[in-house]
Each structure stands twice: as structure tokens, then as C-alpha cells.
Amino acid sequence: MSVFDLLNLIGGLSLFLFGMNIMGQALERRAGGRLRSVLGKLTTGKLTGLLTGLGITAVIQSSSATTVMVVGFVNSGLMTLKQAINVIMGANIGTTVTAWLLSLAGIDSSNVFISLLKPSSFTPVLALVGIIFYMFCKGSKKKDTGMILLGFATLMFGMEAMSGAVSGLRDVPEFQNLFIMFQNPILGVIAGTLLTAVIQSSSASVGILQALAVTGQVTYGAAIPIIMGQNIGTCVTAMISSVGANKNAKRAAMVHLSFNIIGTVVWLSVYSVIKAAFSPAIINESASLFGIAVAHSVFNFLCTVLMLPLSSFLEKLVIRLVPDSKVPQKQTNLDERLMTTPPIALERCREVCCEMARLSVGALKDSVSALTLCTDEIAEQIIKKENKTDEYEDELGSYLVKLSTLQISESDSLQAAKLLKLIGDLERISDHAVNILESAQEMQSKSIKFTSGGKKELDTLCNAVEEICDLALDAFINDSITAAAKIEALEQVIDTLKEELRTRHILRLQLGKCSIEAGFVWSDLLTDLERVSDHCSNIAGCVMEMNTTDMNFHELLRDYRNDSSDYRRLCREYTKKYAIIK
């Protein structure tokens, strides 16, 4: 093997790993919506979890990435350890897809139609189509499709470059002796483990083994133990990612390692017994690319068949290996490990934001009830909810900014921008809830009373604000355009209502029916309640703009108010509903 062959090998390996990486990322972005929907499918059912892990890994082409994501789910409390076990088992089967794609390079036939299945025949066409999509199409989905095709073409070119570089080794005795040594099952497992631990991808290490198989010196007796070791080596990524995680997340990573070690020990023992007792001829035959793909799939399938019925035992084992800590651990709402799959991380952000919205609206409603009866329990609840929304704002803001720096689809980028806008409005609503609480406490401590007319007017405004908060919650959580449209009409009615209440209060002051001190509290309450409706309007505008892909929502709302007959009808309905009885 000359120095030029070595350089070709290095270049081919680099292209192979790069192609696999960009293809996986583009597939992930292209399938973003479907990946987000996977969150609802992570049930306790063994088969459902198994298929979920298989499907995700088949899409993103990496069992390591899937397992890291699972560790993040468990650390966030989004998935139980029992659910994680089933998903990890499915990931081990899903990772075999790459080997089947690479096995197409081994097709050898004089038939024209069969030869067209060989990557060297269709890869240039895929590369051409990919570059056209990537360079000349504007839509992000089409660009991602182009990246998928380019990534696959790069991967296959790298595979062929590696195969060409090592083809000369078929006549080198030392190379042949190396793989004769790997026929020792223990040495083969160690070699596979170390190779995969270094490159942190079992799919890639199987691809490298397939590239070496073109020399004809890799026998099934050497390939099978190496494949078994590759499954252990791929656990390194998950083990590293579990550093700093909570106990259950560490257990999820340990499940991946235990599953592969137990499966390897059992089936390696069976393989060694068969080899010693029967010495099947196939063991000494040269492994083909197709044969390696079959061996990889069969081994991973057998490991799953062995361990799936023993998932409860596996759960008990890892709990014993990673015992509970006496010090309570804080659960992370947003785990950075989820960023390995941005669509899933974004969906998690949305779920946390929904929880923040419920807390914020809950705090506002509690503060309105405090105007009637202000107790220490209600005050404590409001403060607690406001503090929690502050925490959510800081956590979500930092997480979404980091997420936005990653390579994500255009739709995901817009979704992230939407959430960044919304969290500010949600946090401000909870702040106004605290302001209203403080007004209620001041009224209680100073024995301030409003007139019966003033009390009825304030109740009318509070009812309108509570309704607009409910509509904002519905608009955001359910992405409801109908609710968002109602908000815009109701917000205008609340603005008018506030001015009417201010005018009426001034008249009461002039007639001596109300004190100056009560007037200050009244003014503060009207301001806080009206500003809550403004923030609800911002939420509605954000929901509406995201459904029209228009980020200038002030212009969007202005056009809606001026041109919509529905808007004018809703304004009339809400004006009648919240009219002040004279």
C-alpha cells in the first residue's frame, strides 16, 4: 500500500463520515414535523417504544444520537426509564439501515437493470439533482432534500474511495494475518469496540468494515465478532452525555451499555460454541458487503429478541448499578442533550412554554379573585407562580437562542422566534398579576372601599380581562386563529371600557363619592388590567402572523381591523356583552 493509497483512504474516510453527518442532519430537518409528533407516541407499550426508537434512528442514521436524545428525555422527566429501555432497543435495530444502503456497492452483474442499482451508477445522478435543489431552489424543504441527496452521494463516493484505496491490500500477507487474528472472538470484539468508540458511530464503523471487505481478506469469522464489539463501542457517546445528568438519565445510558454487553456476551458465547462444535464452512469464507449488512441486522435483532422480554430485569439491574442518591436532584425542564435533534428540542420548548402560559394566566385569575378576598394563601400562590414564570422565561430564552444557532429548518426557525416573543408577554402578564395583588393588599390594609357602582364596573372589566386571557391561552396552546381573532376585538372593547371607567371615576371624585386614596388604587388597577389585554393582543398577533408566515404582525393586525367584517361583528358583540349598566 503506497502513500497515495493511504491519502486516498484518509480522504475517502473523511468524505464518508462527512456525508453521513450532513445526510442525517438534513433528514432530521426534513422530517421535523414527524419527529415532533413522536413525543405523543412514547408510551409504556413495549412494541410502540421499540418502533419509535427504530423509526427515529432510521431517520437520523445514528443510534448514538437517538440514545443521547433519550437520555435528555429522561433527564427532563419527559420519559420514564421503562419507556427509555424500549426505545433504546428499537434504536439498535434502526441503526442497521445504513449498512443495507452501503451493501448496494457490492452489486456485481452484467445485467444493465441490476447494475443501475449499484451506487456508482446512480450516485452521480443523485449528486446532480441534489446540487440543483440546493443551489437553485428557494424553499428550505427543497434545499434540505438537496442536502440529503448530496450527503448520500458524498457518503457513497467516500465508500468507493476507501474501497479503492484498500483494494491493494488483498495481496499483503500482513493484512491477511491481521484479520486471521481477529477470528479470535475476544480480539474481534475488542477491535470493534475500540474502532466505534473512537468514531462514535456504529453505522460508520460497519461501513468501514464493509469497505475493507472488498479486499476479500475479511472473513465472516473475523467480521461477526467485530460487529458485536461495534455495538458496545457505540455506547460511549451516551455514557459521555449522561455526565452531569440526574440518576434516571444515567440509568438510561447504562441501559444502552448493559443491553449491548449482555447481548454480546450471550450471542458471542453461542457463536463460539457453534464455531467449536460444528466449524461451519461459512466462517472461513470472505465476507461480502451484503453479508456484513445481514450479520449486523441479525445480531441486533437477536439482541432485541433476547432482551425485550427481560426489560423489567434490565430496569432493576441499572437501578442497582446506579442507586438512588440521598440528596434530592433537581429535574431539568430543558435538557441540552435534546438539541441533538432540534425538532424534538423545539417541541419540548413549546410544551414548557404552554406550562408557563397556564401559570401566568392562573396567576392573573388568582389576583382578580384577591380583589374580593385577599388571603395569605392566595398571595403565596400568586408569588409562587410569578417566580416560576420568571424562571421559565430565563430558561426558555437562553435555550431558544442556543437552538436558533443550530442548523434548523425555516419553519422551526420561525417557531423558535415565535416562542421567544411569547415568553416576554407571558412573563409580563404574571408581573401585572403581582401588581394587582399589591393593590388588593393595599386596599385591605388601608380599608379602602370602592362605591357599589365602582365595584360593579371593576367586575365588568375583570370579567372581560379573564375572558381575553382564556382566549390567549387557547390561541397559543391550540394554535387557534379563531380565538386569536376574538382577542383583537375584545382588546379594543377593553381599551374603550378602561377609558369609560376612568371618566366615570373622575365624576365620582368630583361629586365627593370616592376618596383620593381610592382613586390612586383605581387608576393602578385599570392600567394593569388594560396592559394584560395588550399582552394578550401581542400573543394573538404572534399566532396570526405564524399562520401567514408574516413577521410584521402590527401591519397584519391593522389590516385585519380595517378590512374584516368578522372583526367589526365581534366588536359589537363584546361591546354589548361588557356594557356598563347605567
Side-chain angles (χ1 to χ4, degrees):
M1 187 177 187
S2 68
V3 65
F4 298 106
D5 289 331
L6 179 61
L7 291 174
N8 284 335
L9 175 61
I10 294 171
L13 177 61
S14 301
L15 287 174
F16 177 80
L17 296 175
F18 177 69
M20 181 172 289
N21 185 51
I22 62 171
M23 182 177 72
Q25 289 179 352
L27 278 166
E28 185 182 301
R29 291 194 299 273
R30 190 68 179 81
R34 287 185 290 277
L35 281 178
R36 283 196 294 272
S37 69
V38 82
L39 293 177
K41 299 177 182 177
L42 298 177
T43 65
T44 53
K46 289 184 179 180
L47 184 60
T48 307
L50 185 76
L51 294 176
T52 300
L54 193 158
I56 293 176
T57 308
V59 169
I60 64 178
Q61 298 283 295
S62 173
S63 61
S64 297
T66 301
T67 308
V68 169
M69 182 176 67
V70 167
V71 171
F73 282 157
V74 176
N75 197 48
S76 299
L78 196 62
M79 185 189 293
T80 65
L81 182 60
K82 183 176 290 186
Q83 290 172 319
I85 292 172
N86 302 322
V87 176
I88 289 169
M89 289 182 183
N92 270 36
I93 299 177
T95 195
T96 63
V97 171
T98 308
W100 284 101
L101 292 175
L102 296 176
S103 69
L104 295 175
I107 294 174
D108 187 15
S109 174
S110 58
N111 186 294
V112 175
F113 295 103
I114 295 178
S115 296
L116 287 175
L117 296 174
K118 193 176 176 68
S120 59
S121 303
F122 65 78
T123 295
V125 178
L126 292 183
L128 176 62
V129 174
I131 200 67
I132 290 172
F133 269 70
Y134 184 71
M135 292 188 68
F136 301 108
C137 294
K138 293 183 179 180
S140 62
K141 290 186 176 180
K142 290 182 178 178
K143 284 186 176 292
D144 285 336
T145 300
M147 285 298 290
I148 293 168
L149 298 177
L150 286 171
F152 181 74
T154 303
L155 181 152
M156 295 311 301
F157 275 123
M159 179 74 174
E160 289 183 14
M162 284 194 294
S163 300
V166 301
S167 60
L169 293 173
R170 69 176 78 241
D171 300 321
V172 178
E174 290 79 9
F175 184 75
Q176 184 177 6
N177 293 334
L178 177 66
F179 277 94
I180 290 174
M181 180 180 68
F182 288 152
Q183 286 187 339
N184 180 316
I186 303 299
L187 292 179
V189 168
I190 292 173
T193 301
L194 293 177
L195 174 64
T196 312
V198 170
I199 62 177
Q200 297 195 16
S201 171
S202 60
S203 298
S205 62
V206 170
I208 293 170
L209 182 63
Q210 287 175 304
L212 293 173
V214 300
T215 63
Q217 301 300 325
V218 181
T219 64
Y220 284 105
I224 291 173
I226 291 173
I227 289 170
M228 292 181 177
Q230 287 167 339
N231 272 30
I232 298 175
T234 195
C235 301
V236 169
T237 310
M239 295 302 294
I240 293 172
S241 77
S242 69
V243 175
N246 63 31
K247 291 294 179 184
N248 272 335
K250 286 184 170 70
R251 287 167 180 166
M254 188 60 72
V255 163
H256 193 211
L257 181 62
S258 302
F259 170 83
N260 285 307
I261 288 177
I262 293 172
T264 299
V265 169
V266 170
W267 294 116
L268 185 65
S269 300
V270 172
Y271 166 78
S272 300
V273 169
I274 292 174
K275 181 181 178 182
F278 303 103
S279 298
I282 192 173
I283 288 178
N284 296 315
E285 290 183 9
S286 296
S288 65
L289 277 68
F290 177 77
I292 289 175
V294 171
H296 189 212
S297 296
V298 168
F299 172 65
N300 283 6
F301 179 75
L302 288 175
C303 285
T304 303
V305 169
L306 172 70
M307 297 304 299
L308 191 59
L310 302 176
S311 57
S312 297
F313 162 75
L314 200 56
E315 183 180 7
K316 292 176 183 177
L317 175 64
V318 296
I319 289 174
R320 185 175 291 272
L321 292 173
V322 186
D324 287 319
S325 174
K326 293 181 180 180
V327 180
Q329 293 182 307
K330 183 180 179 181
Q331 185 171 292
T332 305
N333 293 303
L334 297 167
D335 197 299
E336 292 199 11
R337 296 166 187 82
L338 299 184
M339 288 190 186
T340 57
T341 315
I344 300 291
L346 188 60
E347 179 62 21
R348 180 57 182 158
C349 285
R350 192 181 186 284
E351 289 182 354
V352 174
C353 202
C354 286
E355 178 59 27
M356 179 183 179
R358 293 186 185 97
L359 283 172
S360 185
V361 171
L364 187 280
K365 288 186 173 182
D366 287 344
S367 69
V368 169
S369 67
L371 292 173
T372 303
L373 178 63
C374 186
T375 65
D376 292 339
E377 290 77 13
I378 291 177
E380 185 179 350
Q381 280 292 104
I382 295 169
I383 297 298
K384 187 181 294 184
K385 289 176 181 177
E386 195 275 333
N387 288 337
K388 190 64 178 177
T389 57
D390 285 346
E391 291 177 15
Y392 276 146
E393 183 189 32
D394 292 340
E395 193 173 1
L396 279 163
S398 300
Y399 196 88
L400 285 165
V401 168
K402 287 183 182 179
L403 191 59
S404 299
T405 62
L406 303 177
Q407 286 188 323
I408 57 178
S409 67
E410 184 178 346
S411 61
D412 284 349
S413 180
L414 288 172
Q415 179 79 352
K418 169 187 172 182
L419 293 179
L420 276 169
K421 285 184 177 182
L422 286 170
I423 58 176
D425 287 303
L426 293 172
E427 193 276 333
R428 289 298 296 146
I429 289 173
S430 67
D431 285 345
H432 288 301
V434 172
N435 292 345
I436 294 170
L437 170 65
E438 290 172 351
S439 294
Q441 289 173 329
E442 183 180 355
M443 290 175 64
Q444 187 176 50
S445 64
K446 296 180 180 179
S447 299
I448 297 173
K449 302 286 185 181
F450 296 135
T451 63
S452 59
K455 183 69 171 62
K456 289 179 182 178
E457 292 169 6
L458 185 61
D459 287 344
T460 301
L461 180 60
C462 287
N463 290 337
V465 171
E466 285 189 295
E467 180 173 352
I468 202 172
C469 285
D470 287 334
L471 288 170
L473 199 60
D474 180 27
F476 170 52
I477 292 177
N478 300 315
D479 203 24
S480 172
I481 292 293
T482 303
K486 290 180 178 179
I487 288 171
E488 290 313 307
L490 183 52
E491 193 269 337
Q492 289 299 304
V493 171
I494 288 173
D495 283 349
T496 304
L497 189 59
K498 172 201 169 186
E499 293 305 319
E500 184 179 352
L501 263 59
R502 193 185 295 276
T503 301
R504 283 168 168 269
H505 186 70
I506 290 172
L507 289 174
R508 284 193 291 271
L509 282 172
Q510 291 173 339
L511 294 172
K513 294 180 179 180
C514 186
S515 67
I516 295 294
E517 198 169 27
F520 289 140
V521 175
W522 179 268
S523 179
D524 289 341
L525 286 173
L526 294 188
T527 299
D528 283 311
L529 290 167
E530 189 271 334
R531 285 180 181 173
V532 166
S533 74
D534 287 342
H535 290 297
C536 290
S537 175
N538 290 342
I539 293 170
C542 200
V543 171
M544 293 173 74
E545 77 178 359
M546 295 309 299
N547 282 273
T548 59
T549 65
D550 184 356
M551 295 300 286
N552 187 359
F553 76 89
H554 290 295
E555 183 178 341
L556 185 72
L557 294 183
R558 186 165 57 249
D559 292 341
Y560 171 69
R561 289 168 180 168
N562 292 335
D563 303 331
S564 173
S565 59
D566 283 341
Y567 171 75
R568 290 189 288 273
R569 176 183 58 79
L570 287 168
C571 281
R572 288 193 298 271
E573 290 177 1
Y574 282 124
T575 299
K576 183 178 179 181
K577 182 176 181 179
Y578 293 108
I580 300 298
I581 300 175
K582 299 182 180 179

